[in-house]
Amino acid sequence: MGFSDAQRALLASKGLSFIIDEIEEQNRLQDVDTDAMWLVIVAVFVFLMQCGFAMLCAGLVRAKNTKNILLKNVLDACVGALGFWSVGYAFSYGQAGGGNPFIGNTYFFLTNFEGNDTYQSWLFQFAFAATAATIVSGSVAERTKMAAYLCYSFFLTAWVYPVVVHWVWSSAGWLSASNVNPLLGVGLVDFAGCGPVHMVGGISAICGAYVCGPRIGRYDSDGVLLDIPGHSSTLQVLGTFILWVGWYGFNPGSTLAVTGGLGAVAGKAACTTTLSGAAGAVGCLIIFKVSSHAFDLGQTLNGVLVGLVSITASCALVEPWAAVIIGLIGSVVYTALSEFVKRKLRIDDVVDAFAVHCGGGMWGLLAAGLFTTAENHQAAYGVAPGTPHGAFYAPIGQGHQIFTCAIVGIVVIWLWVGGIMLPFFTLMHHINWLRSTEEEELAGMDVSKHGGSAYPDYVFTPSAAPVGFPSSKAGAQPAASAAKAEAPPKGGGGKGAPKIEPEVEGESARRTDEVRELSVADVEA
């Protein structure tokens, strides 16, 4: 509630000016509380993305590695919280004495914190750090040791990620759009994290997958790519939808407040986020229908994700029509990078984390330099009229500043993250902390390291496996040769059909009579 000059004069004439001060202070405190709750709520949405990543990764790995990938996703959040609490937040946002352009220098272990910063800010930024760390888990799935993964999660959230955050989002950062003297007058325009979150996670993912090497059976002796399908399309879809919901905290929540007109900025960010994700999905659906003559569910889901990543930098800065274009181009970028990485470089990125997150992140930064409007730039960043904006809206010969800063940001993030994470994973490899043994990988991480299958009630028994059907429990996939096996009559098991039966006694044992034998045709279906 504001007071007009006439109202102020009237109250002053009656000696009631103190009422104005009291009401304005109450309004200010109400705004502070509203913004605090906004940040807590959107932080919960971002943290929910951990569940999305867990479900998506679980669906993309074979069933014999389900427990392993789920535990790694849980530990991403736990280890990441400790790393970000101890030193990560300090390196990100600590600005004692005005800070410095490279790295933060206070708030270690959240000391000297109260009165200078807020706990809701820490919570929101931690959720982002955990997201960056989780991106890598699926890339190196099904063949890595737990020790290396724990070291990686802490190292990324405590050191690698925070430095990039300081550059891009701290007001003291040399690349920050919030700097009093930003680079080229604008700094790196990255509203919600294409660079600090998605590029950092994606580059780390490709470094880990490269050093770790491909899974056994991913390429034949001639280097030809072989398909290793995940065990659950259901979990993949569930995970993707949860991630999409989480993005409504990730992008709109990056307003960091909802009062003072920022509610409208958050609303536009939510709208463009939706449209870009949808366009990315449709783009990938069409691309893979044309190339493979099939409506590919998995690639469509990755299209959703790359569309969401691609709009992250500019979600509050572009118009809805531009969001559709950004998502569609993101689907092309993803497809090209995914095919190049797995077929030309022969790097086994299980969940295509590099193509989705780094590819989408790089394109997203460039897109902000092209499609940012002057009005949206002013509303989201509070810049003065006349501040440079997107090249497509600027007069000829102008509007290059945001695009140039995006190129600078892409280059320095590659140098920083790649220059640290590649040696890090190489060191883990040389001290034998990275790659699991061949025996463990073939048996499956769940049996080898986690006390048994994630699906203990029903497993394929080795003695009943048909020709061409792997005998490992929980997650065995029918080989191509199994398709040629003779199918028994409908409803009967037939010779060679894998029998599904209880593995444990107790409650599940009472269902023995209900379990039917599956024919090879059933398994193939």
Side-chain angles (χ1 to χ4, degrees), residues 93-161:
Y93 293 103
Q95 298 184 42
N100 69 72
F102 178 75
I103 193 170
N105 56 5
T106 189
Y107 302 150
F108 295 102
F109 298 93
L110 296 188
T111 56
N112 302 319
F113 191 74
E114 293 193 27
N116 298 307
D117 209 325
T118 63
Y119 289 110
Q120 62 266 24
S121 176
W122 180 89
L123 179 67
F124 185 71
Q125 299 301 337
F126 148 68
F128 271 58
T131 299
T134 303
I135 289 171
V136 182
S137 63
S139 181
V140 296
E142 300 198 294
R143 76 259 199 211
T144 49
K145 292 182 177 179
M146 192 64 68
Y149 198 79
L150 293 175
C151 292
Y152 149 78
S153 292
F154 186 87
F155 188 56
L156 189 90
T157 54
W159 173 247
V160 180
Y161 168 81

Side-chain angles (χ1 to χ4, degrees), residues 147-439:
Y149 198 79
L150 293 175
C151 292
Y152 149 78
S153 292
F154 186 87
F155 188 56
L156 189 90
T157 54
W159 173 247
V160 180
Y161 168 81
V163 171
V164 179
V165 167
H166 187 81
W167 295 350
V168 177
W169 286 333
S170 170
S171 60
W174 69 273
L175 198 54
S176 175
S178 302
N179 195 304
V180 292
N181 295 304
L183 184 67
L184 299 183
V186 291
L188 180 61
V189 175
D190 187 357
F191 189 75
C194 272
V197 179
H198 296 291
M199 278 193 65
V200 168
I203 295 170
S204 300
I206 199 70
C207 290
Y210 169 72
V211 176
C212 195
R215 290 167 290 172
I216 297 172
R218 184 55 165 158
Y219 298 93
D220 66 14
S221 58
D222 297 322
V224 176
L225 179 69
L226 302 176
D227 190 28
I228 302 180
H231 85 280
S232 176
S233 295
T234 303
L235 290 178
Q236 294 175 43
V237 172
L238 176 63
T240 301
F241 272 119
I242 293 174
L243 286 170
W244 196 337
V245 170
W247 242 284
Y248 291 123
F250 203 95
N251 286 0
S254 291
T255 58
L256 305 182
V258 74
T259 59
L262 289 175
V265 176
K268 174 164 278 188
C271 174
T272 58
T273 297
T274 302
L275 293 174
S276 186
V282 173
C284 278
L285 181 72
I286 294 172
I287 290 171
F288 284 92
K289 173 59 178 175
V290 172
S291 62
S292 66
H293 308 291
F295 293 110
D296 194 309
L297 173 62
Q299 297 299 342
T300 302
L301 297 177
N302 274 347
V304 172
L305 298 178
V306 76
L308 295 170
V309 172
S310 298
I311 198 63
T312 295
S314 60
C315 56
L317 304 167
V318 302
E319 293 302 304
W321 68 266
V324 174
I325 302 299
I326 290 170
L328 287 172
I329 296 177
S331 68
V332 176
V333 172
Y334 157 74
T335 303
L337 273 180
S338 174
E339 294 297 305
F340 178 73
V341 166
K342 64 189 178 186
R343 297 187 187 277
K344 298 299 183 181
L345 299 182
R346 295 177 182 171
I347 296 176
D348 185 13
D349 183 348
V350 178
V351 300
D352 278 320
F354 174 74
V356 169
H357 295 280
C358 186
M362 291 189 294
W363 160 236
L365 290 175
L366 296 175
L370 299 175
F371 294 100
T372 295
T373 69
E375 296 78 13
N376 290 332
H377 198 187
Q378 292 170 27
Y381 279 86
V383 298
T387 301
H389 46 280
F392 288 166
Y393 289 90
I396 296 176
Q398 301 180 29
H400 63 279
Q401 292 91 339
I402 297 178
F403 191 84
T404 303
C405 287
I407 295 175
V408 172
I410 290 170
V411 171
V412 297
I413 291 172
W414 260 104
L415 292 174
W416 172 255
V417 180
I420 292 178
M421 296 311 300
L422 190 60
F424 172 83
F425 282 115
T426 302
L427 175 62
M428 293 292 103
H429 175 70
H430 281 301
I431 63 177
N432 199 30
W433 280 19
L434 184 62
R435 181 79 186 232
S436 297
T437 66
E438 181 177 347
E439 293 77 12

Side-chain angles (χ1 to χ4, degrees), residues 453 455-465 473-474 497-518:
S453 169
Y455 305 100
D457 287 349
Y458 304 109
V459 298
F460 291 113
T461 58
S463 61
K473 294 183 178 180
K499 185 178 180 181
I500 296 200
E501 57 187 26
E503 184 184 44
V504 295
E505 297 180 356
E507 177 64 26
S508 63
R510 293 200 295 268
R511 295 195 292 267
T512 302
D513 293 337
E514 301 173 8
V515 179
R516 68 185 179 92
E517 294 179 324
L518 296 180

